[in-house]
Amino acid sequence: MIGNQLHISLYRYNPEEDKFPYMKKYKIDKPKKDIMVLDLLNLLKEEDQSISYRRSCREGVCGSDGMNINGKNGLACITPISSVIKKNKIELRPLPGLPVIRDLVVDMTEFYNQYEKIKPFLQNETTAPEQERLQSPEERDKLDGLYECILCACCSTSCPSFWWNPDKFVGPAALLQAYRFLADSRDLKTQERLESLSDPFSVYRCHGIMNCVNVCPKGLNPNKAIGEIKSMLHKNKKDIIVSDGV
Amino acid sequence: MNNIFTNNIKTIEFDSLIIGGGGSGMRASLELAKSGLNTAVVSKVFPTRSHTVSAQGGITCAIASADPNDDWRWHMYDTVKGADFIGDQDAIEYLCSEGPKAVFELEHMGLPFSRFKNGRIYQRPFGGQSKDFGKGGQAARTCAAADRTGHALLHTLYQNNVKEGTNFLNEWFAVDLVKNSNDEVTGVIAFSIESGEVAYLKAQATVLATGGAGRIYASTTNALINTGDGLAMALRAGFPAQDMEMWQFHPTGIYGAGSLVTEGCRGEGGYLINKEGERFMERYAPNVKDLAGRDVVARSMVLEILEGRGCGENNDHIFLKLDHLGSEVLNSKLPGICELSRTFAHVDPLYEPIPVVPTCHYMMGGTPTNVSGQAFTRTNNEDHLINGLFSAGEAACVSVHGANRLGGNSLLDLVVFGRATGMHIQSELKSGGGVSSAAKSDIDQSLERLNKLNESTDGFDTAEVKKELQECMQNYFGVFRRGDFMKKGLDQLSALKEKVYNLHLKDKSDAFNTSRVEAIELQNLFEVAESTAISAYERTESRGAHARDDFPDRNDEDWLCHTIYDPQSKIVSKREVNFKPEKVEAFPPIVRTY
């Protein structure tokens, strides 16, 4: 019964055995209830131990299992197969643009390097009070939509600018975090942060393609954050010119 | 590459070694990195993928924000009572009194806490919280970053470790402890998951911060990686485990999926209903209702289901009602829950109740330690410190949670004792402390298990054996327990042992071989499950999370004590509970009602 089977095409590559990656076909009976793509992979792995992928929380908060599912990046654990199956087919590939270690596992070094580059930690050299630093709910609201990033890399690896310049363009994920600290009323290194982003590549390679917004499994909007950084940079430049004039 | 290793493997040396990159591990490493000691965190996942990330509701601490008169002693009273009086009061005192410092430090590091109008940290009510030693009504003591507090905490700690230049061995898997002839721990055998390279990671101090092992049960809120690796390594090295019968079943795991729904939902005003729409907790805990201790709520839910008042087609779950809270509260305070519920229960909490069921959530037991994180073993009914070995967080049993952990106390435990462990190691190593070297034969011994797996040519299937183990634990060692039932479970476990240690690793490749990792994890799960089962069978009373049909009452005369499981003899002995806090009078055991 063709209609009752699910055809899975899975990207396979084991550096010890394969000269080149290839797509391997699997067939399984269609599960009776809707399951997540991760559950599907777990079923396949029970049959074929050699399949490799990352996973941890299985509920969309740890960011381990970003992959390319029928052409679109997403988290396997919160993507129901019903939402992606086309004609009983599903194709699973690693996140695009990063070196493949094995099967669906990519080398994320370049991605993490960009994250570290933006100094992803609060910088405030003033003496800390005995209690917490105060922050109004309105100031705190500015961090919503920014701090929730899970570093799954779905956005950056769907971004053509990142594919092109992964070493020089910071990419949507790390830029979202750059803005998270620029927007934090407690952080005092705004000027230094902006200066480190003012070169032609770090931010300005973003051309508003919007793939990042389209794929973010947490519904975040890196494009908007990048826009905010650009306007801060712009304003900063004007301020510097004005103060030079004085 | 040849998969059989002898001890001419590479040795990588550090001052201190932290196994596990979750909250407690990264809090300890932060302290050590700042002190200038050469510290490495070994984590089988990139640190922000650790299970701390899933903590939702918050971190409980008397920072006196919601109530300016709040007092850490009230928090201590609640924790002692919540623990059903077998939490060590010196440790609980340390937790509650040092807590505010540790939480303010997190805020200074940048943790994006939600805020009150006056700019201070937002606090919400959680179960088991009171003012004025139980006499002043419900307290609101849980500091929160919306319902993503664990995520915010874990990322903040990672970020600050990046700042301080901590060494990370990410996607390295620790297999076994290395122990020298003086019974000192000198590091671990570990391998890089990415390349398969095996190394002896040598250190003067080794910290087990590997979290819980909820995956011993079929139904759990825990991440797939929660396999008790550190605790199991300690057990295999012959070191004991404490209070292993004490497993918390969280009242609200999403029915079918197991994902956690924070207690904060009930803190914000949500409540549980049975199929008749009755708010049944009013019958079981008339004073605090849905905010009773987790053990009490979980048992009440199971009783409702057993008595035929469960919801759904099979009357096998309970509903958590939130819609009356309105969209503003749900979207601002519980956005993550709304998201999880839509994804995993296909229910929008704005309009419909969430189907939930008590689900394995937290391991109160673990490697016994003192308040400085120093692990100890027991000989002649006395504690003997193990040189070189430390533990913190869920993997450890310091014991602040006793027989039942209060919501929001786990995140506090992580940072307070991660920090304390880091501070202790720093002063110990700087004053010349440390361990002697291990011999070649010691290292070889620690390689044995890995070698056996790599040499396997036939044997049992990891996925199948894991299912058998999880079902056994679920059936015989769940919310309610009974001697004759547990005996059956114990027999099943003995039969399983043969399979667990004779797994067939079909794929012997080196690059990112997750089947090798899963086989070792299964062996770790087994060690934890066995210690749980034996300890649960031995404790012939009901206390906190350990509820026995055949011994329904608490028995302070015989069991106001910890259990110590000795992995070598498989015998359970008793250890006295600490009733000697320094700054306050001890809280004596009273009948525990809510």
Side-chain angles (χ1 to χ4, degrees):
Chain A
M1 296 265 287
I2 295 161
N4 286 333
Q5 286 213 311
L6 202 55
H7 297 255
I8 303 128
S9 177
L10 183 65
Y11 182 101
R12 299 300 313 266
Y13 174 67
N14 178 346
E16 293 157 58
E17 289 165 13
D18 308 318
K19 226 170 172 183
F20 301 103
Y22 61 99
M23 298 304 291
K24 187 168 176 180
K25 313 279 181 217
Y26 296 85
K27 266 189 288 188
I28 62 161
D29 290 337
K30 232 179 180 175
K32 287 198 182 76
K33 56 171 195 172
D34 198 9
I35 59 172
M36 299 297 174
V37 171
L38 178 62
D39 301 323
L40 184 67
L41 275 168
N42 292 341
L43 286 174
L44 292 182
K45 190 168 172 65
E46 281 179 22
E47 300 304 314
D48 181 352
Q49 280 191 13
S50 71
I51 300 172
S52 191
Y53 50 95
R54 293 186 175 107
R55 85 285 180 280
S56 172
C57 76
R58 60 83 175 89
E59 57 188 18
V61 296
C62 80
S64 295
D65 62 353
M67 58 187 68
N68 189 273
I69 306 164
N70 271 357
K72 188 179 169 185
N73 288 356
L75 293 179
C77 61
I78 53 169
T79 304
I81 56 172
S82 64
S83 70
V84 287
I85 292 175
K86 284 176 195 150
K87 295 180 181 166
N88 283 337
K89 284 185 188 150
I90 183 165
E91 192 172 278
L92 301 175
R93 291 170 176 271
L95 290 174
L98 294 176
V100 174
I101 296 171
R102 175 174 177 170
D103 298 340
L104 299 176
V105 179
V106 290
D107 180 348
M108 293 174 75
T109 309
E110 204 93 74
F111 175 79
Y112 295 135
N113 284 348
Q114 292 299 348
Y115 177 65
E116 289 192 19
K117 201 157 89 185
I118 62 102
K119 300 200 169 155
F121 39 82
L122 193 84
Q123 295 182 80
N124 185 330
E125 311 294 322
T126 61
T127 310
E130 238 172 70
Q131 298 190 331
E132 70 269 48
R133 289 196 165 95
L134 298 181
Q135 186 172 49
S136 72
E138 294 72 29
E139 288 168 334
R140 168 60 182 76
D141 281 351
K142 292 190 178 141
L143 308 183
D144 280 342
L146 307 172
Y147 82 96
E148 300 94 322
C149 173
I150 58 173
L151 300 177
C152 65
C154 284
C155 61
S156 292
T157 61
S158 70
C159 173
S161 296
F162 190 74
W163 297 338
W164 206 245
N165 294 110
D167 53 337
K168 287 189 268 186
F169 173 51
V170 171
L175 285 172
L176 189 77
Q177 290 318 296
Y179 185 59
R180 177 246 174 277
F181 288 99
L182 284 168
D184 196 320
S185 60
R186 300 168 296 172
D187 190 278
L188 301 181
K189 296 280 183 186
T190 307
Q191 194 58 38
E192 289 83 344
R193 287 183 188 280
L194 288 175
E195 273 161 26
S196 72
L197 293 170
S198 61
D199 65 283
F201 280 91
S202 297
V203 180
Y204 289 109
R205 284 289 123 170
C206 168
H207 301 304
I209 299 165
M210 301 282 274
N211 281 1
C212 53
V213 183
N214 192 30
V215 299
C216 176
K218 304 307 284 180
L220 308 178
N221 190 334
N223 192 65
K224 187 164 166 251
I226 294 169
E228 300 281 359
I229 299 175
K230 282 181 179 170
S231 58
M232 284 178 92
L233 283 168
H234 189 63
K235 188 170 171 296
N236 196 42
K237 216 172 180 181
K238 275 200 302 195
D239 286 351
I240 290 170
I241 292 167
V242 169
S243 61
D244 279 359
V246 173
Chain B
M1 169 176 153
N2 187 347
N3 279 314
I4 311 304
F5 303 105
T6 58
N7 63 6
N8 45 25
I9 55 171
K10 185 157 101 184
T11 300
I12 312 176
E13 197 167 345
F14 301 97
D15 296 324
S16 56
L17 191 63
I18 319 277
I19 317 296
S24 65
M26 286 207 290
R27 187 62 191 82
S29 65
L30 186 61
E31 206 62 39
L32 289 162
K34 277 197 287 192
S35 77
L37 290 172
N38 184 14
T39 303
V41 174
V42 180
S43 179
K44 64 178 174 177
V45 293
F46 182 76
T48 63
R49 327 278 184 218
S50 305
H51 186 55
T52 305
V53 83
S54 291
Q56 298 170 350
I59 175 164
T60 302
C61 187
I63 60 161
S65 169
D67 171 5
N69 298 318
D70 200 10
D71 192 319
W72 66 263
R73 295 167 191 86
W74 301 348
H75 180 200
M76 178 177 173
Y77 167 83
D78 292 342
T79 305
V80 169
K81 178 185 168 189
D84 220 347
F85 300 95
I86 61 161
D88 286 326
Q89 297 202 13
D90 58 341
I92 298 175
E93 178 182 54
Y94 186 80
L95 176 83
C96 299
S97 61
E98 283 290 299
K101 233 184 270 172
V103 168
F104 292 137
E105 278 170 4
L106 288 171
E107 195 282 332
H108 298 154
M109 286 180 215
L111 200 156
F113 282 111
S114 301
R115 302 285 171 154
F116 283 122
K117 279 211 173 75
N118 65 4
R120 294 209 58 192
I121 293 172
Y122 173 75
Q123 291 185 294
R124 59 162 57 109
F126 249 54
Q129 291 178 359
S130 76
K131 297 182 183 185
D132 196 16
F133 309 105
K135 291 173 292 206
Q138 177 73 41
R141 195 174 288 131
T142 301
C143 311
D147 57 356
R148 304 187 180 98
T149 317
H151 171 278
L153 186 149
L154 189 67
H155 280 251
T156 301
L157 284 176
Y158 179 66
Q159 291 162 353
N160 281 270
N161 273 283
V162 167
K163 183 180 174 188
E164 299 298 338
T166 305
N167 300 303
F168 281 101
L169 294 176
N170 291 334
E171 296 182 327
W172 274 68
F173 190 83
V175 182
D176 267 311
L177 293 174
V178 176
K179 196 171 79 166
N180 67 20
S181 53
N182 305 334
D183 273 348
E184 296 174 319
V185 172
T186 64
V188 297
I189 295 296
F191 65 87
S192 155
I193 299 174
E194 181 179 331
S195 70
E197 181 193 13
V198 180
Y200 166 37
L201 308 180
K202 185 180 168 189
Q204 300 301 316
T206 302
V207 183
L208 302 175
T210 48
R215 287 281 154 187
I216 64 170
Y217 287 97
S219 171
T220 174
T221 63
N222 284 195
L224 293 156
I225 58 169
N226 284 26
T227 52
D229 303 333
L231 175 57
M233 283 193 273
L235 287 167
R236 265 193 305 272
F239 301 129
Q242 179 170 267
D243 294 339
M244 287 308 296
E245 67 278 25
M246 300 302 179
W247 281 86
Q248 178 164 82
F249 288 80
H250 195 290
T252 54
I254 291 181
Y255 172 69
S259 301
L260 172 68
V261 177
T262 175
E263 187 169 312
C265 291
R266 284 170 284 136
E268 297 287 347
Y271 55 84
L272 298 162
I273 53 175
N274 60 21
K275 77 168 178 190
E276 285 146 17
E278 183 204 3
R279 186 175 181 182
F280 58 87
M281 280 313 297
E282 289 177 337
R283 275 189 278 120
Y284 296 95
N287 295 319
V288 297
K289 306 180 181 90
D290 296 80
L291 289 179
R294 284 179 177 170
D295 54 333
V296 175
V297 179
R299 273 195 295 278
S300 308
M301 291 168 73
V302 173
L303 286 174
E304 287 299 299
I305 292 168
L306 289 175
E307 287 167 14
R309 291 188 294 277
C311 306
E313 240 173 69
N314 302 319
N315 299 334
D316 60 355
H317 55 272
I318 294 292
F319 280 141
L320 173 65
K321 188 172 144 54
L322 297 176
D323 58 305
H324 59 285
L325 300 179
S327 59
E328 202 186 319
V329 170
L330 290 177
N331 290 332
S332 67
K333 300 290 174 9
L334 303 165
I337 292 306
C338 294
E339 203 180 303
L340 275 176
S341 175
R342 286 177 202 125
T343 308
F344 288 103
H346 309 294
V347 153
D348 188 338
L350 279 158
Y351 309 105
E352 295 164 274
I354 310 174
V356 292
V357 71
T359 306
C360 168
H361 183 55
Y362 188 85
M363 176 174 87
M364 269 79 73
T367 299
T369 71
N370 62 16
V371 289
S372 302
Q374 294 174 281
F376 58 80
T377 187
R378 295 277 289 177
T379 36
N380 303 327
N381 285 324
E382 276 177 18
D383 300 348
H384 289 277
L385 294 176
I386 304 161
N387 210 9
L389 188 66
F390 300 79
S391 186
E394 191 171 344
C397 182
V398 55
S399 155
V400 287
H401 309 305
N404 172 62
R405 174 172 72 74
L406 290 188
N409 268 357
S410 58
L411 291 186
L412 189 65
D413 174 4
L414 301 185
V415 292
V416 167
F417 291 105
R419 178 176 174 268
T421 304
M423 293 191 305
H424 178 87
I425 292 172
Q426 182 187 334
S427 67
E428 187 176 305
L429 295 192
K430 288 194 170 168
S431 60
V435 293
S436 332
S437 291
K440 279 189 167 192
S441 56
D442 301 325
I443 299 168
D444 275 342
Q445 196 175 359
S446 302
L447 278 163
E448 251 175 37
R449 188 165 66 114
L450 188 59
N451 283 339
K452 179 168 180 186
L453 204 56
N454 287 336
E455 290 168 62
S456 64
T457 50
D458 61 356
F460 298 92
D461 179 77
T462 303
E464 278 172 29
V465 179
K466 194 195 292 173
K467 269 185 201 163
E468 280 182 58
L469 175 70
Q470 291 169 332
E471 270 159 34
C472 172
M473 293 306 292
Q474 190 78 26
N475 291 339
Y476 300 112
F477 303 93
V479 175
F480 284 105
R481 297 163 176 180
R482 208 173 74 195
D484 54 344
F485 249 67
M486 287 195 284
K487 188 81 194 40
K488 275 189 202 165
L490 281 166
D491 292 342
Q492 275 193 19
L493 284 179
S494 324
L496 267 173
K497 182 159 200 165
E498 163 77 11
K499 296 185 184 175
V500 166
Y501 282 100
N502 289 289
L503 295 173
H504 181 202
L505 182 67
K506 290 183 197 130
D507 177 6
K508 307 265 196 315
S509 59
D510 286 321
F512 228 98
N513 182 343
T514 52
S515 61
R516 178 179 290 128
V517 172
E518 287 179 23
I520 299 171
E521 286 176 335
L522 172 58
Q523 296 175 339
N524 292 341
L525 285 173
F526 181 82
E527 295 298 330
V528 177
E530 189 181 40
S531 63
T532 296
I534 293 175
S535 306
Y537 184 75
E538 290 296 325
R539 188 183 277 274
T540 48
E541 65 152 358
S542 290
R543 181 186 299 273
H546 179 63
R548 286 188 61 155
D549 284 344
D550 45 355
F551 296 93
D553 298 318
R554 195 173 87 188
N555 173 357
D556 284 347
E557 203 171 307
D558 299 317
W559 288 107
L560 186 67
C561 61
H562 298 292
T563 56
I564 294 280
Y565 166 78
D566 174 357
Q568 287 160 321
S569 64
K570 307 211 184 299
I571 287 175
V572 172
S573 57
K574 295 178 180 180
R575 175 172 173 261
E576 65 284 5
V577 172
N578 180 293
F579 281 95
K580 287 180 186 149
E582 283 171 17
K583 300 171 197 161
V584 292
E585 290 277 304
F587 296 102
I590 51 166
V591 178
R592 183 165 164 259
T593 54
Y594 284 102

